[in-house]
Amino acid sequence: MLKFLSVRLTTSLIALTGVMVIVFFLARLTGSPASLYLPVDATDAMVEAFNRQNGLDKPLVSQFVDFVANALRLDFGQSIAQQRPAATAVLSAMPQTILLAAIAMGLTLLLAIPLGTFAALSPNSTLDRGITLFSLFTASIPDFWFALVCVLVFSVSLGLLPTSGQGGLSSWVLPVATVMLHPVGVITQVVRGAMLETLNAGYVQNARARGYSWRRLAFRHALRNAALPIITVAGDRAGGMVNGAVIVSAVFAWPGIGKVLVDAVYNRDFAVIQAGVFVVGIAVILLNILVDLVYAAADPRIRVS
Amino acid sequence: MTTEILKRPAGETSARPLLSIAGLRVRYGRTHAVRGIDLDIMPGESVAILGESGSGKSVTGKAVMGLINPPGKVAGSVEFDGMQLVGRSEASLRAVRGPGIAMVFQDSLDALNPVFSIGSQIIEIFTVRLSWSGQQAREEAIRLMLQVGIVNPESRLDDYPHQFSGGMRQRICIAMAIALKPRLLIADEPTTALDVTVQAGILKLISQLQRDSGMALLFVTHDLAVARQVARKLVVMYAGRVVERGPIDDVFHRPAHPYTRALLGSNPGSVKHWSELKPIAGNPPDKSAVFTGCAFAPRCPRAVRMCSEREPDFVTVADGRQSRCHFAQEMFDGR
C-alpha cells in the first residue's frame, strides 16, 4: 500500500509539473499586463518601469527559471491586481471552495445512493422509471441555465434567497444546488447500474436464503460491492467541484477558487493563475489518493494485492 | 424470529412429510423450467434430485426456498411442515429461511460476499437472526468452523473468501447453512465446481452432518454416483418433470424408465470399459416446447407412436418405485 501510494504521488507530481509549465507559457499568451494596468497614453519609460517592477522585463526563459526556482520554495510571487502574495490570494479562497464541494458531494451521495438503490430494487417499476427520468433530467439540463432560472424564480420573483455573494445559510442554497445538479443525476445512474448487478449476485441470493431483510441485503451486502464504481465517479465529480465550480463563481459571484482564477485570467495576473492552478492540482492529487484509500477500505481484494 | 410452527416437534416420529411439493410449476415467460412435479420429503430423509442441465432440478430447489425472482412465476404447492410457502410474503418466508430450510449453492466463491471476512459473515447470522451478542456469536462461529473441518478457525475468522481454497469455501458455506440448525438442507450441486478428491470430503461432511443432526436433505445433482453417496431416495427429473422415483440403490440396479437407464449407460463409473459408454442421442428439449406426449420420446430407443401422443402417468412397478413410462413394468422386469 505504501509503495502504491508513493508511486501514485510521484506520477501525480510529474503530471502537475507538466501542467505548471503549460500554464506558465499559456498565461503569457494572453498579452502584457502593462497594457492593462497602465493608462493608454503611458510612456515607454513607464511600461519599462512597470515590467521591471513585476519581473516581466527579463527574457521568457529566465522568467521561467525564476518561476521554477521560487515555486520550489512555494513562493508564487506577488499578485499585480491584489498587491499581496499570490499564494495568499489563492489560499484565502480555498476554504470556501472546499466547504462548498464537501457539502455538495455529501448531499449528492445522500440523495443519489438511496435513489439509485430503490430504482435497482424494483427494476422497470414506476418508481424506477420516475427516478431514472429525474436523474437523466438533472444530468442533462445545462447547469448555468439552471442557476439563472433558480436566481429568477427564488431570488428575483419570490425574494427567498440572495442572488449572489456569500452571507448566511440562505446564500449557500443555490450554489450548492447548482454544483450538485449534474453529479446527482450521474451518480444515481451509476448506483442503479452497479446495484442491479450486485443485487442479483450469488452472495446476495445466498444471504437472502439466510433470511435477512431486504434492507440488510441492499444496503449492506449489495451496496458494499457496488461501491467501487460509485467511488470512482464520485471522486471524479468531486475533482470537478474543487476545480473551481466556475459557473457558481460566474452566476453567484461565489468567492471561491473559481472566481479567483477567472478574475486572474481577466487581470493578466500571472502569479495568481500559476498559484491557483498549483493549489487546485495539489487538491486533485490529494483527492485521488483519498479515493484510492476509500477503495482499499471498501474492497479487501485491493487491500491485499 | 422463529415462529411456533418451526420448532422441532419432540422425536419427530410423525408420518407427515416435512416437505410436500405438489404440482409445482416454474416458468419464465414462455420458458417452462419446472412443469409440474410432486415430491415428498419425510423428516430426516435424504433425497437426491438427478437430472441433466436444464431439467429444472436447481430451479426446484430455489422455488422451495422462495428464491425465484421476477419475471419467474411459481405455481402449485410447496408445503413445509404444513405451511404453504408458495405465494407467501417475503417477510414471513424469512422466518423459514435458516431455521426451517437452508441452502448450499454450487459456486462457493460466488455464494460468499467478497468484501466481508468469513468470520463477520458467519457471526452476522447469529447477531441478526438470533440477536446474540458479538462474543457469543464469535464462539459459535468458531465451533461451527471446527465442525465443518476448518483447521485453526480462530486465526481464519478475519480472512476473506478469496483467501480460501474452493473446498474450504464450500465447507464455510455449509457451516453457514447449518448455523441455524435447519430441518431441511437443500444442496444445489455443492460439489460440481470442486475436483474429485475435494468432492469426496464435502460429500462425507454433508452425509455426516445430516445423520448427526437428523435434518432432511434435498441434494440436487447431475451425477448419480455422487447422489448415491449422500441420499437414500432418488428422484429423476427430465424436462421439468419427475420421470422416476424410488430408493436410490434399487433405481440404480434396476431402472424402470428409459431415461434413467440411458443416464446409467452414459455414466463412466457404471461401465467396465469406456467403449461400452452409451451417450444419450439428441439434446434435451427446448424449454418453451409444449408436449402432448412423453418429453423423452424423441430420444427414447423404446418410443412408439403412443409415447408422443399421450403422456404416461406414474406406474408403480414395485413397493416405493414409480416410473412415468408406458413401458415401466417391462423396463423394470428387464425386458
Side-chain angles (χ1 to χ4, degrees):
Chain A
M1 197 70 210
L2 264 177
K3 184 169 170 258
F4 172 79
L5 281 181
S6 60
V7 169
R8 193 74 201 239
L9 201 61
T10 313
T11 53
S12 304
L13 287 176
I14 292 170
L16 181 62
T17 309
V19 169
M20 291 311 295
V21 171
I22 293 168
V23 165
F24 178 86
F25 290 105
L26 273 186
R28 277 155 181 78
L29 286 178
T30 57
S32 161
S35 58
L36 204 66
Y37 288 91
L38 297 179
V40 190
D41 55 353
T43 62
D44 285 355
M46 287 167 74
V47 171
E48 213 172 284
F50 177 85
N51 281 346
R52 200 175 325 114
Q53 189 198 338
N54 293 293
L56 298 167
D57 56 333
K58 296 182 200 163
L60 205 54
V61 176
S62 64
Q63 278 186 44
F64 182 67
V65 172
D66 284 350
F67 162 66
V68 172
N70 290 328
L72 285 176
R73 286 176 286 138
L74 296 179
D75 173 7
F76 289 90
Q78 198 75 6
S79 161
I80 306 176
Q82 301 185 28
Q83 292 302 323
R84 57 175 175 163
T88 314
V90 169
L91 287 176
S92 66
M94 216 45 197
Q96 312 303 322
T97 297
I98 290 177
L99 194 58
L100 181 72
I103 292 172
M105 188 40 79
L107 288 177
T108 297
L109 292 176
L110 226 55
L111 202 62
I113 289 175
L115 280 180
T117 302
F118 282 111
L121 275 170
S122 51
N124 298 321
S125 65
T126 316
L127 180 71
D128 178 27
R129 282 170 215 270
I131 290 171
T132 301
L133 189 71
F134 166 79
S135 69
L136 287 177
F137 184 71
T138 59
S140 314
I141 53 174
D143 47 6
F144 64 86
W145 177 83
F146 174 80
L148 289 172
V149 169
C150 282
V151 169
L152 263 180
V153 174
F154 295 105
S155 309
V156 179
S157 297
L158 299 174
L160 291 173
L161 300 165
T163 54
S164 64
Q166 190 193 354
L169 204 60
S170 61
S171 68
W172 288 77
V173 176
L174 292 183
V176 167
T178 304
V179 172
M180 279 174 68
L181 184 71
H182 287 176
V184 163
V186 172
I187 294 175
T188 300
Q189 282 303 301
V190 171
V191 172
R192 179 184 179 273
M195 287 292 283
L196 268 181
E197 203 171 299
T198 54
L199 278 171
N200 283 310
Y203 47 81
V204 173
Q205 292 307 307
N206 192 3
R208 193 172 158 214
R210 297 198 291 276
Y212 297 154
S213 67
W214 66 266
R215 270 184 216 86
R216 177 164 287 273
L217 297 179
F219 291 107
R220 183 175 157 88
H221 288 267
L223 185 59
R224 183 75 178 272
N225 280 279
L228 294 195
I230 301 172
I231 295 166
T232 306
V233 177
D236 176 63
R237 294 288 154 157
M241 289 177 183
V242 294
N243 221 325
V246 177
I247 299 298
V248 170
S249 81
V251 177
F252 302 106
W254 185 260
I257 190 84
K259 186 170 181 343
V260 169
L261 273 172
V262 171
D263 288 351
V265 172
Y266 281 133
N267 295 334
R268 294 184 194 159
D269 204 347
F270 300 155
V272 175
I273 298 177
Q274 288 151 10
V277 170
F278 180 82
V279 168
V280 168
I282 292 288
V284 171
I285 290 172
L286 291 179
L287 190 68
N288 280 332
I289 289 174
L290 180 71
V291 165
D292 286 332
L293 291 175
V294 177
Y295 270 153
D299 196 329
R301 285 165 298 184
I302 294 176
R303 228 174 295 158
V304 175
S305 58
Chain B
M1 197 164 258
T2 312
T3 57
E4 201 55 39
I5 13 179
L6 287 173
K7 293 220 178 92
R8 200 179 301 249
E12 232 170 19
T13 48
S14 72
R16 196 172 62 158
L18 178 67
L19 183 79
S20 182
I21 303 175
L24 180 71
R25 292 171 171 275
V26 182
R27 68 180 175 87
Y28 296 86
R30 284 191 178 166
T31 306
H32 298 265
V34 178
R35 296 171 185 259
I37 63 163
D38 308 292
L39 171 66
D40 283 351
I41 300 179
M42 306 303 286
E45 194 177 36
S46 53
V47 178
I49 298 187
L50 183 72
E52 53 196 314
S53 313
S55 61
K57 56 190 192 303
S58 291
V59 177
T60 303
K62 288 207 180 79
V64 170
M65 282 295 261
L67 293 179
I68 303 291
N69 289 327
K73 285 199 163 59
V74 182
S77 158
V78 176
E79 265 184 41
F80 178 74
D81 203 28
M83 175 167 59
Q84 180 59 251
L85 299 184
V86 175
R88 213 171 185 82
S89 76
E90 186 73 13
S92 75
L93 278 175
R94 248 183 258 147
V96 181
R97 295 175 186 150
I101 312 174
M103 195 157 179
V104 178
F105 294 83
Q106 178 176 339
D107 182 352
S108 61
L109 186 59
D110 189 47
L112 292 167
N113 198 324
V115 301
F116 296 116
S117 71
I118 289 299
S120 76
Q121 293 187 57
I122 304 178
I123 287 166
E124 185 186 16
I125 302 173
F126 301 112
T127 52
V128 173
R129 295 301 308 275
L130 304 178
S131 309
W132 283 8
S133 71
Q135 186 53 36
Q136 194 186 3
R138 197 185 131 91
E139 281 162 19
E140 181 65 8
I142 291 169
R143 194 196 63 72
L144 261 179
M145 285 167 82
L146 263 182
Q147 193 186 354
V148 297
I150 308 279
V151 273
N152 287 330
E154 253 157 295
S155 67
R156 305 227 56 183
L157 276 177
D158 294 330
D159 285 350
Y160 289 88
H162 68 272
Q163 291 167 295
F164 288 82
S165 69
M168 286 299 132
R169 270 200 301 269
Q170 197 56 286
R171 282 172 191 270
I172 288 159
C173 288
I174 292 169
M176 291 169 77
I178 62 165
L180 298 174
K181 305 194 167 35
R183 299 176 57 198
L184 170 66
L185 178 69
I186 300 175
D188 183 4
E189 305 222 36
T191 60
T192 305
L194 305 172
D195 52 40
V196 182
T197 46
V198 179
Q199 173 173 315
I202 298 288
L203 293 175
K204 223 173 124 190
L205 174 68
I206 292 176
S207 261
Q208 186 196 331
L209 290 171
Q210 193 247 331
R211 268 200 314 273
D212 294 352
S213 68
M215 66 182 172
L217 175 70
L218 181 61
F219 194 94
V220 177
T221 180
H222 63 270
D223 188 338
L224 183 56
V226 165
R228 283 184 81 197
Q229 290 179 55
V230 290
R232 307 289 287 276
K233 215 172 113 182
L234 180 70
V235 171
V236 182
M237 278 187 77
Y238 185 78
R241 296 282 267 165
V242 174
V243 293
E244 176 161 15
R245 57 190 176 205
I248 198 161
D249 289 333
D250 293 3
V251 178
F252 184 76
H253 291 299
R254 229 175 143 183
H257 194 284
Y259 175 64
T260 316
R261 183 179 282 186
L263 264 188
L264 289 170
S266 64
N267 182 358
S270 65
V271 292
K272 290 191 190 72
H273 190 256
W274 63 266
S275 60
E276 294 171 33
L277 275 178
K278 287 194 276 307
I280 308 178
N283 287 307
D286 184 11
K287 278 192 242 178
S288 56
V290 181
F291 303 114
T292 44
C294 170
F296 188 59
R299 302 169 77 185
C300 181
R302 281 197 87 120
V304 294
R305 186 197 257 168
M306 169 175 64
C307 295
S308 49
E309 285 170 354
R310 194 167 56 81
E311 196 195 15
D313 286 330
F314 267 122
V315 178
T316 304
V317 291
D319 195 23
R321 290 287 311 274
Q322 289 177 309
S323 162
R324 199 187 279 278
C325 177
H326 293 301
F327 303 105
Q329 198 62 52
E330 287 96 321
M331 293 290 303
F332 184 69
D333 294 338
R335 281 182 279 138

